[in-house]
Amino acid sequence: MNGDARQTSVVRDRRPAHVLDVQMVRDDFPILKMRIHGKPLVYLDNAASTQKPYAVIDAYNVFYSGCYSNIHRGVYHLSETATKAYEDARERARAFINARGIEETIFVRGTTEGINLVAQTFGRRKIGKGDEVLVTWMEHHSNIVPWQMICEEKGAVLRAVPIDDRGDLVMDELEKMLGPRTRIVAVTHVSNALGTVNPVKEIVRLAHRRGIPVLIDGAQAVAHMPVDVRDLDCDFYVFSGHKLFGPTGIGILYGKKELLESMPPYQGGGDMIRSVTFEKTTYNAPPYRFEAGTPNIAGAISLGAALDYVSALGFDAIAEHESSIQAHAAEVLPSVPGLRLVGEARERVGVFSFVMEGIHPHDIGTILDREGIAVRTGHHCAQPAIDRFGVPATARASFALYNTREEVDALAKGLLKVREVLL
């Protein structure tokens, strides 16, 4: 693609390192230079969506301005170039999660569609009356509702593994709930509401010991830690590009080849077929069987750029920096009078849900916005998890690789301003 040279220049000289040059990283994200209400932007809503570096923005623009065409269908130069860029992005995604082959790497619109795809194909065939689907109390709605729908249709039962007062999964209960009627375990790798990192490799081991497949929702994990689906031995793994510094409307569903080959299509249309007559249609092999119609080509190519960007920074350096920010936040935030953290799991990423005595979370978010600070308020599409802690809503600050200790301090100062204004 003509944009390769420009894209490479953005990440030039980047080699995975143990120390992250945060200022250099921040320079890669143009939106971080913005001022909101006259104040420097402090973006702390990364669990909802991450900002985009020039590498991703350029890849998107270059595709549309320099080599746009539909893929897989044309014999002319532009189509062949676009097809190569699209399939190169698939290969980058495969390598990023260490899948065995591209046939295990399906482009979807995001985590929600990936889970719905599995529920409506694998789930529809495997789940019957009286069967059970096991999720947890800390799931995002996207890993509850699709299973609830298929359970309702089939007369199956949705069960949820409890979490304790810290926000950790109760593993003893999980093991007890794995039974002869359990048809699939669907669990989040990292909680979007609490920041809890679940022991997914152990969960897979326990489930597989009973012959039960496991789907992992990796939406909140992939920006913070390396993911190796072969090491995890999970059956399905799904994540969204926009939570990994990529564009919206694109994500990856990983599935083991033998499972995908046994699954019917999710949608019908072009590109997912081998042949069509009025009497019969034969279907393409995975991954194309599950990619009906013209896909989000620009999104896929830009996601490839995002994966390159993160890989060039290196997860060792990212983890060290984010651990430092997380530790600072864990020390500073509880010092704000009246603030109570919701969930303090033993292993977690930099996601902090909190409430303040006598102040509604929405008012916290509104006052912080006037200080240029972006946080999320509400139940974070994880209503059961928030209900578990006896509160209707929280404010949530979630950190990413470009956040700084100074921004943690700005948040704490902003929260003092909230008290000053509202109490």
Side-chain angles (χ1 to χ4, degrees):
M1 189 168 77
N2 291 338
D4 282 352
R6 185 177 176 187
Q7 179 182 327
T8 302
S9 71
V10 176
V11 295
R12 65 185 184 280
D13 302 329
R14 286 273 170 77
R15 298 291 185 275
H18 293 293
V19 178
L20 201 68
D21 184 336
V22 180
Q23 190 52 57
M24 186 172 73
V25 169
R26 291 181 65 83
D27 287 343
D28 289 338
F29 291 80
I31 204 168
L32 298 181
K33 297 179 175 63
M34 280 188 69
R35 297 181 74 84
I36 304 292
H37 303 304
K39 309 284 179 60
L41 169 64
V42 177
Y43 186 77
L44 303 178
D45 194 20
N46 296 287
S49 197
T50 53
Q51 298 299 342
K52 318 305 172 194
Y54 282 116
V56 171
I57 298 167
D58 283 355
Y60 199 89
N61 290 336
V62 165
F63 173 67
Y64 275 123
S65 61
C67 68
Y68 175 74
S69 172
N70 210 331
I71 59 170
H72 294 159
R73 299 181 178 94
V75 294
Y76 53 93
H77 176 75
L78 276 181
S79 181
E80 290 176 346
T81 302
T83 299
K84 184 177 186 310
Y86 181 81
E87 293 300 334
D88 282 351
R90 191 194 305 277
E91 167 56 26
R92 292 174 191 169
R94 181 211 65 75
F96 191 77
I97 57 174
N98 197 30
R100 287 178 180 81
I102 61 165
E103 66 274 15
E104 296 183 323
T105 311
I106 301 164
F107 283 121
V108 289
R109 284 188 297 156
T111 303
T112 298
E113 184 176 58
I115 296 171
N116 273 277
L117 191 160
V118 176
Q120 293 297 322
T121 55
F122 182 84
R124 190 181 290 272
R125 286 204 166 179
K126 299 292 183 182
I127 298 168
K129 187 174 182 180
D131 287 339
E132 296 176 354
V133 173
L134 197 59
V135 297
T136 82
W137 272 71
M138 69 177 80
E139 300 306 317
H140 189 282
H141 296 166
S142 64
N143 203 26
I144 298 174
V145 180
W147 301 113
Q148 214 164 34
M149 292 166 69
I150 199 73
C151 284
E152 187 174 348
E153 177 185 321
K154 296 290 187 177
V157 179
L158 183 71
R159 303 185 71 194
V161 180
I163 54 179
D164 63 20
D165 291 340
R166 298 181 64 94
D168 284 318
L169 204 58
V170 183
M171 289 296 290
D172 289 346
E173 288 299 315
L174 182 145
E175 189 164 7
K176 290 176 187 172
M177 294 172 76
L178 293 170
R181 301 306 300 266
T182 309
R183 293 293 173 261
I184 191 167
V185 175
V187 59
T188 188
H189 197 162
V190 173
S191 164
N192 74 307
L194 308 173
T196 306
V197 179
N198 282 321
V200 288
K201 188 172 180 178
E202 174 65 5
I203 292 171
V204 171
R205 188 187 70 79
L206 293 171
H208 281 185
R209 200 161 66 184
R210 295 159 176 82
I212 302 167
V214 178
L215 176 144
I216 299 175
D217 171 356
Q220 297 294 329
V222 288
H224 302 290
M225 61 191 71
V227 171
D228 184 333
V229 293
R230 280 193 272 180
D231 181 58
L232 293 175
D233 196 28
C234 56
D235 300 279
F236 302 100
Y237 195 99
V238 59
F239 65 92
S240 301
H242 73 97
K243 295 181 192 291
L244 184 59
F245 315 105
T248 55
I250 192 73
I252 294 294
L253 168 64
Y254 159 81
K256 285 182 175 174
K257 180 181 176 182
E258 58 272 24
L259 294 178
L260 294 177
E261 287 178 340
S262 72
M263 289 159 52
Y266 176 49
Q267 296 177 319
D271 231 24
M272 50 75 70
I273 54 88
R274 289 191 192 279
S275 69
V276 177
T277 67
F278 286 115
E279 289 73 32
K280 182 178 176 59
T281 293
T282 57
Y283 303 123
N284 211 335
Y288 309 108
R289 179 185 302 174
F290 302 103
E291 296 180 4
T294 298
N296 183 355
I297 310 167
I301 293 169
S302 304
L303 173 60
L307 300 178
D308 286 350
Y309 182 82
V310 172
S311 299
L313 293 177
F315 274 111
D316 286 346
I318 292 171
E320 182 172 324
H321 171 68
E322 291 187 346
S323 293
S324 169
I325 298 298
Q326 181 182 329
H328 188 53
E331 180 182 349
V332 168
L333 293 182
S335 68
V336 175
L339 185 146
R340 177 169 66 89
L341 293 176
V342 175
E344 297 182 73
R346 291 169 178 82
E347 187 175 354
R348 63 185 301 177
V349 299
V351 175
F352 292 84
S353 277
F354 58 90
V355 293
M356 294 180 73
E357 189 175 358
I359 304 174
H360 195 281
H362 288 187
D363 293 332
I364 296 174
T366 301
I367 299 296
L368 288 178
D369 176 59
R370 300 302 300 180
E371 298 300 308
I373 302 168
V375 299
R376 178 76 35 164
T377 62
H379 52 56
H380 318 298
C381 293
Q383 198 166 352
I386 298 302
D387 287 347
R388 164 64 180 78
F389 289 89
V391 293
T394 70
R396 181 189 70 188
S398 51
F399 297 88
L401 53 82
Y402 39 62
N403 290 123
T404 65
R405 291 170 65 92
E406 289 75 18
E407 289 182 317
V408 175
D409 295 338
L411 172 61
K413 186 178 176 183
L415 292 170
L416 293 175
K417 182 68 176 273
V418 170
R419 283 181 54 84
E420 179 186 322
V421 172
L422 296 176
L423 293 181

